[in-house]
Amino acid sequence: MKKIIIILTALFLTQINVSAKDSLIFDFPNEGWHKVMSPDGVASKKCYVPYNQTGENYTEMLVLSEKILKNNDISALSMLHRQLGKDKNNYPDIMPEYVFQDMNDAMITWCSRVKNTCTVQRAFQGPQGIIFASYINKMPHYSQNIFGQWSNILMNIKANTSNTPSKNIIELD
């Protein structure tokens, strides 16, 4: 009986270690972006701000995260809609606009004039789950084309499927 419990425990621990974490290939728009703790305390979110900003005092932030789903029938677009529902609770004046909306890869932009915040959000299917990439700007200059620049940047994020080491790899939890 002891041997069976030890074998089952070993198999269980092996299964935990086998579950792979996805990694992303991403190039920051300029040097100096650095990782900070998530403002909401969620350790699985990878948050980055420009060199002169912190996690508590930022105007721009890039947030990368992944949701591992037990039900594979849920699409990236559905998950983006769920996130948008949460955003509408915090920013009731937003009017989202889709950059593109494929079931497995969708991107939206929105601004809140009341809270002076704009964001670009993308959700896409990764090898292990749905990957979210969000750019948040808390001091947007509406004359700037932040949506065009950051939409292009977020569109170029890809899941690293080759396991090739590179300086621009971000590991997700």
Side-chain angles (χ1 to χ4, degrees):
M1 185 67 172
K2 253 184 175 179
K3 288 181 182 181
I4 293 173
I5 292 173
I6 292 172
I7 290 171
L8 289 176
T9 303
L11 285 172
F12 177 72
L13 292 175
T14 303
Q15 292 298 321
I16 290 173
N17 291 333
V18 169
S19 64
K21 296 176 184 173
D22 282 337
S23 59
L24 301 177
I25 299 173
F26 178 75
D27 288 320
F28 285 96
N30 48 41
E31 291 188 23
W33 284 73
H34 61 279
K35 187 176 174 184
V36 296
M37 288 296 299
S38 172
D40 57 6
V42 178
S44 62
K45 289 183 181 177
K46 305 298 183 196
C47 300
Y48 298 87
V49 296
Y51 70 94
N52 60 349
Q53 299 176 27
T54 67
E56 296 81 34
N57 185 17
Y58 66 93
T59 56
E60 294 179 277
M61 181 178 278
L62 175 69
V63 180
L64 302 167
S65 64
E66 181 175 34
K67 303 244 189 272
I68 308 294
L69 304 172
K70 292 180 181 174
N71 181 354
N72 291 336
D73 294 338
I74 299 174
S75 69
L77 182 60
S78 298
M79 293 300 291
L80 189 59
H81 284 160
R82 287 183 187 179
Q83 181 59 47
L84 186 57
K86 292 177 188 177
D87 292 339
K88 284 185 176 183
N89 288 334
N90 296 323
Y91 306 92
D93 65 320
I94 64 174
M95 297 296 292
E97 294 183 27
Y98 283 91
V99 177
F100 52 87
Q101 57 177 336
D102 182 71
M103 291 302 285
N104 293 318
D105 193 356
M107 184 183 292
I108 58 170
T109 62
W110 57 257
C111 282
S112 170
R113 292 207 181 260
V114 171
K115 294 193 177 181
N116 199 35
T117 300
C118 289
T119 189
V120 180
Q121 297 175 326
R122 178 180 176 211
F124 63 98
Q125 183 65 51
Q128 301 293 323
I130 306 293
I131 298 170
F132 287 91
S134 299
Y135 167 75
I136 303 160
N137 189 323
K138 292 175 26 177
M139 289 184 54
H141 299 283
Y142 293 97
S143 61
Q144 291 179 331
N145 187 5
I146 62 168
F147 288 140
Q149 175 191 11
W150 279 94
S151 292
N152 287 333
I153 290 169
L154 294 186
M155 275 192 273
N156 287 317
I157 296 175
K158 295 182 179 23
N160 181 26
T161 55
S162 66
N163 294 326
T164 304
S166 176
K167 67 179 178 107
N168 59 349
I169 300 288
I170 297 173
E171 295 289 332
L172 298 176
D173 291 338

